[in-house]
Amino acid sequence: MQVLDQTSVNATASSSEAEPTRRTWKVSRESLVVRGAQILLGLAWLGLWQLTAEHEWLDPVLAKTPGQSWEYLVTAAKSGELWTNTRYTMVAVLIAWIVAGAIGVVFGVALGLLPRVERVLTPYLDAANAMPRIALAPLFIVALGINTSAKVALASTLVFFIVMSGARAGVRSTDAEWLRLSTVLGATKSQMFLKVLIPVATPAIFAALRLGLIYSLLGVVGSELISARNGLGQLVATYSATFRMEAVYAILLFLALIAVLLNQAMSHAERWFLRWQPPVDR
């Protein structure tokens, strides 16, 4: 009897060890399929771009090949034009994201904890959020000058509302039963805030910060397109005015690559900070 029990235990252990292996292989195989599909889609898009330029399906001024855009990128990278302007853009992006993100988290958590104050401020916040931010760019440029401050100000108006909304929604999503149970168990307000509210709100805050980082890039580039001394947006505006569309396409693709890298970096940071959460089955 003991031999049979030991055999069943060993069989159970073997099956439990084999299960993660099969799951790991399944995840790895799915990742390979997804990556392969992404590569094929990118190649198909490049092929369509090449055909469009060769057959001039668009206006000849717009019909530039991927090779021409690549040549510009190589030349701009060697001359330092690309990296210098990228540095100016990314400095403004990070400043706006950090400052507006921090203020948005604090403000959003406070609104989530103070529903009466939230009801009073909601009409004004909605009105401010509904304003087209790009229309504020000339105001910031006149007030702050053609420098990094104007770019940071415009991007901050985008990041603040996104992060504030995420933080407020995260705090408000706390289960009322948990709060009542914490009160019954004798938890203080500070303990409920640190042990219940903040852990519950953290995933929503990270999601808002990740989205805010992308919008910070959009805000900075939008400000540079209107008026700036430097930056990738200013390069796009300059080359558009001189009809160097291969350079415009190259910079836009470079900006898209930066956005993808920023999003991936935030995804990794989010997984690391939230590693205490149970994994999500997909």
Side-chain angles (χ1 to χ4, degrees):
M1 190 66 177
Q2 292 179 352
V3 174
L4 291 176
D5 292 341
Q6 184 64 33
T7 303
S8 60
V9 170
N10 292 336
T12 303
S14 300
S15 62
S16 63
E17 291 176 358
E19 181 63 25
T21 302
R22 288 196 296 269
R23 186 178 299 175
T24 301
W25 165 243
K26 180 181 178 182
V27 172
S28 177
R29 184 172 58 186
E30 289 179 356
S31 299
L32 289 175
V33 171
V34 170
R35 294 291 180 246
Q38 290 173 341
I39 292 172
L40 289 177
L41 184 61
L43 292 176
W45 179 74
L46 286 175
L48 180 61
W49 181 4
Q50 181 70 30
L51 288 174
T52 301
E54 286 182 353
H55 295 282
E56 294 187 353
W57 292 342
L58 296 175
D59 189 282
V61 176
L62 302 176
K64 305 298 180 180
T65 65
Q68 292 173 312
S69 295
W70 176 254
E71 288 177 2
Y72 164 77
L73 274 181
V74 173
T75 302
K78 288 181 179 179
S79 66
E81 177 185 69
L82 183 65
W83 309 124
T84 300
N85 287 279
T86 300
R87 185 175 70 251
Y88 282 113
T89 297
M90 292 310 301
V91 166
V93 167
L94 292 177
I95 293 175
W97 179 66
I98 292 172
V99 174
I103 298 174
V105 168
V106 173
F107 205 80
V109 171
L111 288 180
L113 295 175
L114 302 170
R116 184 173 298 175
V117 175
E118 180 186 12
R119 288 195 297 269
V120 172
L121 295 180
T122 292
Y124 300 98
L125 293 175
D126 291 342
N129 193 25
M131 290 181 182
R133 305 303 196 286
I134 200 67
L136 298 176
L139 174 64
F140 290 135
I141 291 172
V142 171
L144 302 174
I146 308 176
N147 51 36
T148 302
S149 300
K151 296 187 283 187
V152 169
L154 180 61
S156 296
T157 61
L158 294 173
V159 177
F160 170 77
F161 286 101
I162 292 173
V163 176
M164 181 201 67
S165 299
R168 178 174 56 181
V171 172
R172 298 292 296 274
S173 66
T174 305
D175 193 341
E177 293 294 333
W178 292 5
L179 298 176
R180 282 194 288 267
L181 180 60
S182 301
T183 303
V184 170
L185 293 176
T188 63
K189 290 185 178 181
S190 60
Q191 288 175 330
M192 285 198 300
F193 179 76
L194 296 174
K195 302 292 186 179
V196 179
L197 291 173
I198 292 301
V200 170
T202 299
I205 291 174
F206 265 99
L209 286 173
R210 182 169 62 176
L211 184 61
L213 184 56
I214 303 302
Y215 273 84
S216 180
L217 177 64
L218 293 176
V220 168
V221 173
S223 179
E224 291 172 345
L225 283 169
I226 294 176
S227 183
R229 291 194 179 96
N230 40 52
L232 295 175
Q234 183 59 30
L235 284 182
V236 171
T238 301
Y239 288 126
S240 296
T242 56
F243 298 103
R244 288 194 56 188
M245 301 310 297
E246 73 280 0
V248 173
Y249 298 154
I251 297 169
L252 292 178
L253 289 176
F254 187 65
L255 283 169
L257 177 61
I258 291 176
V260 170
L261 293 177
L262 291 176
N263 189 58
Q264 291 296 318
M266 278 300 297
S267 296
H268 288 299
E270 182 178 357
R271 284 196 295 269
W272 187 83
F273 278 105
L274 301 179
R275 61 189 183 277
W276 47 269
Q277 285 190 323
V280 178
D281 295 331
R282 296 186 183 275

